[in-house]
Amino acid sequence: MPEAPAWRFEKIIKPMFDIPAPPRILAGGRVLTCRGDEIIEDGFVEIADGGIKAVGRVSDLGDASAERVDCRGKTIMPGLINSHAHLAWDGVHDLARQSLDDPPEISAWKCAGNMLKSLRAGVTLVRDLGMNQSNLFAKQAVEQGIFPGPRLLVTGEAIVQTGGHTYWCCREASGADEMRRAVRDQVKRGADLIKIMASHDTIEFTDAELRAVIDEAHRNGLPITAHATFDAVIKRVAEFGVDVIEHGGSLSDETIQLLLDKDLPIVTTFAPLVMQAQPELARQYDIPEWKIAERRQAVKSRERFDGLVRAAAAGVTIAFGTDAGSPVVGHDIVAPELQFMVELGVKRDNYDALRSATIVAAGVSNLDESLGSLESGKAADIIVIDGDPLADLGALERVEQVYIAGKEMIGAN
């Protein structure tokens, strides 16, 4: 593994936010373990030492002495994982102008605010795919107890060819050596994964550049994910060896088979289209009329999603992401993305959609042994919802309790 970032060597005498994690029993609710379609009515989850001690029916609980939290009429399930978000974007303003104009201090405040919004939405892990370097500092703030937030997996700066897609918020590089240097700089600062912008309207990176950036990420023990939005580029990055596809798009049968053969997941991000297709809402964010019309047509016709639907039907792993931070897509937007996944057919029902944001998402980040389902021995990342998301995903807008490693998160309600 690479050398740890400098901040990990700092001595922490005491966290600024030292949140306790006492033993608790969340009891009496409907428990969705997210192991398959398992539902435990009148169930309980016992928390101890930051982990899940036991899960079962209240009738089998016995005389445990821990504090009981009454969850009758509510749903207990794993915390949600947003696998594609941008904490330094506020979901309101133009992306380019924020990237070019926001000073580092404002980016930091936006990260802080968006971490709180994420927690309030039941998101206990955010996979931040970059805008500038602020996500690296957000991770440090959370891990050192400077600010209460979700778990973070961060890229640092996404890597792009010079002048490439969204160059105004990424680390530009040209040539194989610069690509390696760009990766090493993110690694040095503490990145958990590397992201590349592999396409816009055209394919980006030379073969030598693409080969170098992927190899350097893997040499440093980090996964690499690619912004890839149409068939030719998805096929290309899959063949070259990336680990995850972001967004996805048109897909040929040949490319779908390639994804299956390589066991490559796609993190879909429908929320910008879904939210910006609502005229009354979109106009509040100054979305131009031509874009609203374009979004409405896309959502209505659904032709552009055919490849993703066929990929899901074939067995390609599809994980939940929202592109949070995009205009009209706040970091508390969860239900619209999941609802569209079901309506579109990339998820068969509400429980399947919920797994895309829990155990499936944990698997995308190689964390499914410790997160993503309610099982004894896993971390106690748990949310309690007023209502039943199996009947109505809109219930996710009523998250009442949020626990990370058994800690009830400050600012989450």
Side-chain angles (χ1 to χ4, degrees):
M1 293 297 291
E3 188 79 11
W7 62 266
R8 290 198 177 275
F9 298 100
E10 295 177 10
K11 181 179 179 180
I12 304 298
I13 297 172
K14 184 176 176 60
M16 288 174 59
F17 287 87
D18 195 6
I19 304 172
R24 289 187 176 97
I25 299 172
L26 310 180
R30 175 185 297 103
V31 176
L32 307 182
T33 65
C34 290
R35 296 194 313 173
D37 289 327
E38 185 177 36
I39 304 169
I40 304 174
E41 298 289 354
D42 193 23
F44 77 89
V45 179
E46 184 175 3
I47 301 170
D49 300 320
I52 297 173
K53 183 176 180 180
V55 181
R57 299 185 183 280
V58 169
S59 58
D60 299 327
L61 186 53
D63 297 323
S65 60
E67 172 197 1
R68 291 202 185 193
V69 179
D70 185 1
C71 295
R72 287 175 295 180
K74 306 183 191 305
T75 297
I76 307 166
M77 65 172 288
L80 303 174
I81 298 171
N82 190 342
S83 292
H84 191 123
H86 304 276
L87 288 169
W89 279 335
D90 59 21
V92 178
H93 297 94
D94 177 76
L95 302 184
R97 292 297 1 141
Q98 289 184 80
S99 304
L100 293 166
D101 298 343
D102 283 356
E105 294 83 355
I106 289 297
S107 287
W109 278 108
K110 286 184 177 181
C111 285
N114 286 328
M115 286 195 291
L116 291 181
K117 291 184 109 177
S118 297
L119 289 175
R120 290 172 181 171
V123 175
T124 54
L125 190 155
V126 173
R127 186 168 169 264
D128 186 299
L129 298 189
M131 187 280 269
N132 51 29
Q133 297 179 37
S134 57
N135 57 16
L136 297 163
F137 298 102
K139 184 179 179 83
Q140 177 182 352
V142 170
E143 293 207 3
Q144 292 187 331
I146 297 169
F147 194 86
R151 298 179 192 267
L152 297 180
L153 295 174
V154 300
T155 63
E157 297 171 296
I159 298 170
V160 62
Q161 71 176 38
T162 301
H165 181 44
T166 64
Y167 69 88
W168 27 263
C169 67
C170 297
R171 168 63 182 271
E172 293 180 281
S174 289
D177 288 345
E178 285 192 15
M179 292 294 165
R180 291 187 185 277
R181 177 60 185 266
V183 171
R184 291 175 186 179
D185 282 346
Q186 309 320 308
V187 171
K188 177 183 177 181
R189 295 170 185 139
D192 300 296
L193 69 156
I194 299 298
K195 182 191 179 186
I196 57 171
M197 308 298 288
S199 69
H200 185 40
D201 296 330
T202 59
I203 291 174
E204 303 194 354
F205 297 105
T206 65
D207 285 359
E209 289 171 337
L210 187 57
R211 189 174 295 111
V213 75
I214 294 172
D215 177 68
E216 194 61 36
H218 289 160
R219 283 183 65 254
N220 282 277
L222 299 188
I224 182 166
T225 192
H227 171 109
T229 54
F230 56 89
D231 183 67
V233 70
I234 295 170
K235 180 182 178 185
R236 182 178 186 236
V237 296
E239 289 175 336
F240 271 73
V242 301
D243 301 292
V244 184
I245 305 297
E246 303 298 328
H247 307 296
S250 61
L251 288 161
S252 66
D253 291 342
E254 180 183 4
T255 301
I256 290 172
Q257 188 58 53
L258 178 62
L259 297 180
L260 290 170
D261 292 344
K262 288 180 167 282
D263 194 23
L264 293 183
I266 301 173
V267 177
T268 53
T269 54
F270 301 120
L273 283 166
V274 171
M275 302 303 289
Q276 293 171 18
Q278 302 174 51
E280 291 186 4
L281 179 61
R283 288 176 188 133
Q284 296 175 34
Y285 293 79
D286 291 335
I287 303 298
E289 292 298 321
W290 67 265
K291 180 168 281 191
I292 296 173
E294 178 188 83
R295 300 306 204 198
R296 284 171 61 85
Q297 179 59 30
V299 169
K300 180 180 179 181
S301 72
R302 302 191 176 177
E303 293 176 5
R304 69 184 289 173
F305 309 120
D306 174 68
L308 291 170
V309 173
R310 288 187 295 105
V316 173
T317 297
I318 306 292
F320 166 86
T322 65
D323 217 355
S326 298
V328 201
V329 187
H331 289 256
D332 51 1
I333 298 297
V334 171
E337 177 81 28
L338 293 170
Q339 288 165 339
F340 193 72
M341 294 174 88
V342 176
E343 292 170 13
L344 191 59
V346 299
K347 294 297 170 182
R348 72 170 189 269
D349 56 27
N350 287 2
Y351 207 156
D352 197 23
L354 291 173
R355 284 194 298 274
S356 78
T358 53
I359 190 62
V360 171
V364 167
S365 293
N366 298 314
L367 293 171
D368 48 321
E369 292 296 318
S370 58
L371 298 174
S373 61
L374 301 183
E375 299 179 70
S376 177
K378 287 195 170 183
D381 288 17
I382 304 168
I383 59 175
V384 179
I385 301 162
D386 178 18
D388 180 8
L390 295 184
D392 176 16
L393 287 166
L396 290 167
E397 296 176 358
R398 300 189 299 277
V399 174
E400 293 189 343
Q401 299 169 48
V402 178
Y403 299 89
I404 296 178
K407 302 175 181 180
E408 186 167 17
M409 297 307 294
I410 294 172
N413 49 35

